[in-house]
């Protein structure tokens, strides 16, 4: 899996620059794979079959989503794990609070 890059929106991490970074393939399960695509805010136009060849890095999952091997060096995702939902924060957005005197 060397050279894999994370497909999460605006994540530029890959396994070449970030040694030791774990990557996880999009699941074969259609429902979960679609959730991954939605939550990562990327690849929404790809068929589920094509998503299986894409990856997300460990940075987009909760620590509780992992199952660790006995030596804690190798980690696997739990079968129903989903990445954090991407949240676009718009800067310089007008405030909804009344800041006037």
């Amino acid at each position: 899996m060397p050279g894999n890059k994370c497909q999460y929106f605006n994540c530029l991490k890959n396994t070449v620059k970030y040694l030791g970074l774990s990557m996880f393939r999009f699941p074969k399960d259609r429902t979960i794979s679609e959730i991954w695509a939605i939550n990562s805010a990327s690849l929404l136009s790809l068929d589920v079959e094509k998503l299986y060849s894409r990856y997300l890095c460990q940075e987009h999952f909760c620590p509780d989503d992992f199952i660790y091997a006995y030596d804690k060096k190798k980690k696997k995702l739990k079968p129903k794990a989903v990445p954090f939902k991407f949240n676009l924060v718009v800067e310089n957005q007008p405030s909804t609070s009344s800041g006037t005197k």
Side-chain angles (χ1 to χ4, degrees):
M1 136 162 82
N4 291 331
K5 64 179 184 175
C6 181
Q7 299 295 314
Y8 199 89
F9 181 77
N10 233 10
C11 183
L12 304 174
K13 294 184 178 179
N14 62 57
T15 54
V16 173
K17 287 184 180 179
Y18 297 88
L19 298 176
L21 181 72
S22 295
M23 291 283 190
F24 300 96
R25 186 187 299 265
F26 270 70
K28 288 183 179 179
D29 180 282
R30 178 177 289 278
T31 304
I32 297 175
S33 189
E34 287 173 351
I35 294 170
W36 279 39
I38 291 167
N39 285 6
S40 64
S42 65
L43 309 173
L44 296 173
S45 62
L46 285 182
D47 295 320
V48 175
E49 293 79 28
K50 292 183 181 176
L51 287 175
Y52 184 66
S53 65
R54 306 302 173 102
Y55 296 84
L56 293 182
C57 74
Q58 68 189 37
E59 302 296 316
H60 309 293
F61 296 91
C62 295
D64 291 342
D65 288 337
F66 298 106
I67 301 169
Y68 293 90
Y70 67 93
D71 60 1
K72 293 209 175 208
K73 290 182 180 178
K74 181 94 172 142
K75 53 179 127 179
K76 287 178 55 177
L77 277 178
K78 292 179 181 176
K80 301 291 182 185
V82 294
F84 300 124
K85 185 161 178 63
F86 176 77
N87 187 9
L88 181 62
V89 177
V90 180
E91 293 185 28
N92 300 325
Q93 185 175 0
S95 174
T96 56
S97 64
S98 171
T100 59
K101 294 182 182 179

